[in-house]
Amino acid sequence: LYYLVFDYSLYEDIEKKIISIGIHKNFLYFQIIFYYLSVLFLYFQIRKNIDVKYLFFSIFFLCLEPTIVQYHASFWSESIFFSFQILIMGFILSKNYSNFRLFLLGILLAFLALQRTNGFYYFAPLLIYFYLYFNNKFDFLKKISIIAVGFILITSLVGYHSLKRSGKFFIVPLEAKAALFAYAVPMILNEKELEIEKENILNLVEEKDIIYEDKDLSKLPYSQLGFTFCLRFDSLDTNSKYLEMCDYINNRSKILMITNPFDTLKFFIKSSLSFSILNPFHIFTDNKLNQDSKFYFSETHTKLKKYRIFYSLLIYLICLFGLIKIMKSQNKHILLFVVLSSLYFFLILSWHGNNRYFVPVLIYLSILFGYGANSILSFFIKSNNN
């Protein structure tokens, strides 16, 4: 949208996929301004519901926490995603649930979903939140229906576009169907089992008479096969076969994980622990090493890991004090929202293990950080006075 509005040509050579240079700096300024305006919006929306002594530290965290802030001057999609999260948080924690605001909330939820795949199912924890918030279930159904109208209005346009492009109506990007296949299954099965699975896929491709002129599928690593089908669209005549393969790969991945419960559980625990270690250096290491796979096996990763673990434990400790404090307060609806939102973004992607995907959880932990930081400060002030 940015490049269309300002009439910038994104590609210098679209056929060779050569990106134009020298036209992107203003986009970075835009997403920085958009983020901090979102934080300002949040402040004005919730300042009457959260004591300023707690809110100050929460806003401080959102504005300066390095794991979050590093993405604003990069072209990763996180910055705008964070902005939508914060806007949604402002709408919900304001407790002003007029019909118009709920309709706008639905539209924001749709934008969040379209920005990143892990936002598509965020409607579910909010459904639980509003169900528990409204004692009158008629009010609940009315309010949630208005949100749904705004959400469906936007996402249905995407579904229609998918229908025109592939012959099938879908909203969630097909890339998501290949994620478990590419990142989880190879960590659960052994090499022999992976070879058998790959052979079965190649046999199925032959049965369906799917021809790839530009790729020899047998030479592709197992992890890339899923994306090969789930991201390929040529024409309506051939798309149905690719979509069938994409669905098969998605379903087969789930079966393999269910039938290997102990290996799956071990993988999930290990990945979740790695997932939870904050990485304020991601942009630095990504620019230096160009990709995450190189970083995790580099000397730089080893050197930085101890600092990351210490920093992560410090942040979590402050949030733990905040959790205890807010549990004793009257703001139970805030705690409910923070817990549901944090758990959602943790559980939906913790299996991946990539620290970058954990950062959306920090947006909600900022509330706990605010309560915790103030509690710790108050404790030291009282100790000094005594």
Side-chain angles (χ1 to χ4, degrees):
L1 178 62
Y2 168 83
Y3 292 96
L4 287 172
V5 168
F6 291 98
D7 196 26
Y8 288 137
S9 178
L10 183 58
Y11 291 100
E12 183 178 311
D13 189 328
I14 193 168
E15 292 184 0
K16 296 180 179 179
K17 302 296 182 183
I18 299 175
I19 302 291
S20 301
I21 59 174
I23 61 171
H24 310 290
K25 186 183 293 185
N26 289 338
F27 176 80
L28 297 180
Y29 290 142
F30 161 75
Q31 68 179 14
I32 291 170
I33 293 169
F34 181 41
Y35 175 81
Y36 285 105
L37 286 177
S38 300
V39 174
L40 191 64
F41 173 82
L42 175 68
Y43 168 77
F44 284 112
Q45 290 296 304
I46 67 177
R47 60 179 175 169
K48 293 181 180 179
N49 298 325
I50 298 180
D51 195 307
V52 68
K53 63 185 180 183
Y54 306 128
L55 187 55
F56 169 80
F57 288 104
S58 295
I59 298 299
F60 176 86
F61 184 87
L62 289 172
C63 288
L64 296 176
E65 198 287 314
T67 315
I68 299 173
V69 172
Q70 64 178 326
Y71 290 99
H72 303 327
S74 79
F75 291 102
W76 291 95
S77 59
E78 268 75 6
S79 178
I80 293 176
F81 189 79
F82 299 157
S83 300
F84 284 132
Q85 282 184 281
I86 291 169
L87 290 173
I88 290 168
M89 186 157 61
F91 271 89
I92 292 175
L93 295 185
S94 69
K95 296 198 291 186
N96 180 355
Y97 301 136
S98 68
N99 292 342
F100 179 68
R101 285 173 64 91
L102 290 173
F103 177 73
L104 289 180
L105 176 59
I107 291 176
L108 284 173
L109 285 170
F111 287 157
L112 185 79
L114 300 183
Q115 184 69 13
R116 291 185 65 83
T117 306
N118 59 350
F120 266 98
Y121 305 106
Y122 185 49
F123 201 100
L126 293 189
L127 192 69
I128 298 172
Y129 171 81
F130 282 111
Y131 179 81
L132 296 175
Y133 182 85
F134 290 106
N135 294 322
N136 187 319
K137 299 314 171 190
F138 175 77
D139 284 344
F140 161 74
L141 291 173
K142 178 184 176 183
K143 301 297 185 184
I144 210 69
S145 297
I146 295 171
I147 297 172
V149 169
F151 183 82
I152 294 170
L153 178 67
I154 302 299
T155 54
S156 61
L157 298 176
V158 179
Y160 177 73
H161 172 71
S162 300
L163 179 66
K164 297 290 289 184
R165 184 167 65 113
S166 66
K168 183 177 180 180
F169 185 94
F170 61 90
I171 298 172
V172 180
L174 293 179
E175 179 183 1
K177 292 190 174 185
L180 291 175
F181 183 88
Y183 302 118
V185 174
M187 304 301 292
I188 295 170
L189 303 184
N190 58 44
E191 290 187 17
K192 184 177 180 180
E193 291 170 329
L194 286 175
E195 283 299 319
I196 293 173
E197 288 300 319
K198 181 177 178 180
E199 190 64 30
N200 290 338
I201 290 172
L202 294 177
N203 290 337
L204 189 58
V205 168
E206 189 174 346
E207 289 177 16
K208 292 182 176 294
D209 195 27
I210 300 176
I211 300 174
Y212 274 83
E213 297 179 353
D214 56 338
K215 287 182 180 178
D216 184 351
L217 295 181
S218 62
K219 293 182 180 179
L220 286 178
Y222 177 88
S223 59
Q224 290 185 21
L225 281 174
F227 293 119
T228 300
F229 295 109
C230 293
L231 295 181
R232 173 123 182 179
F233 298 105
D234 287 336
S235 67
L236 293 180
D237 294 332
T238 57
N239 277 344
S240 60
K241 295 181 180 180
Y242 301 143
L243 293 173
E244 286 177 20
M245 286 300 302
C246 185
D247 287 334
Y248 167 80
I249 285 167
N250 181 40
N251 295 329
R252 183 60 182 165
S253 299
K254 294 174 183 177
I255 291 172
L256 290 171
M257 295 175 73
I258 292 172
T259 53
N260 293 273
F262 295 109
D263 291 327
T264 300
L265 180 61
K266 181 181 176 181
F267 163 71
F268 267 78
I269 293 173
K270 184 178 179 181
S271 298
S272 296
L273 289 173
S274 174
F275 179 75
S276 304
I277 302 175
L278 304 182
N279 187 8
F281 310 107
H282 177 259
I283 299 302
F284 163 73
T285 54
D286 182 71
N287 287 335
K288 186 175 182 180
L289 300 172
N290 200 33
Q291 54 181 298
D292 288 334
S293 58
K294 290 183 179 180
F295 167 64
Y296 290 119
F297 297 100
S298 69
E299 186 179 343
T300 304
H301 174 258
T302 304
K303 288 181 179 179
L304 294 177
K305 192 171 185 179
K306 58 183 178 183
Y307 300 109
R308 292 171 51 213
I309 292 174
F310 174 78
Y311 178 70
S312 300
L313 291 175
L314 178 63
I315 294 296
Y316 295 148
L317 181 62
I318 296 172
C319 289
L320 178 60
F321 282 113
L323 177 63
I324 295 170
K325 181 68 177 180
I326 199 172
M327 286 176 69
K328 296 178 180 179
S329 72
Q330 299 300 315
N331 293 324
K332 296 297 191 295
H333 74 286
I334 295 177
L335 179 61
L336 177 65
F337 171 75
V338 169
V339 170
L340 287 173
S341 298
S342 300
L343 282 177
Y344 168 79
F345 281 104
F346 181 87
L347 294 174
I348 200 169
L349 276 178
S350 61
W351 60 268
H352 195 285
N354 191 326
N355 318 108
R356 181 166 67 91
Y357 298 142
F358 179 84
V359 187
V361 178
L362 290 179
I363 300 299
Y364 307 104
L365 292 187
S366 66
I367 302 296
L368 298 184
F369 182 89
Y371 278 83
N374 178 262
S375 299
I376 294 171
L377 180 63
S378 298
F379 173 78
F380 281 114
I381 291 174
K382 288 180 181 179
S383 297
N384 289 333
N385 290 337
N386 293 334

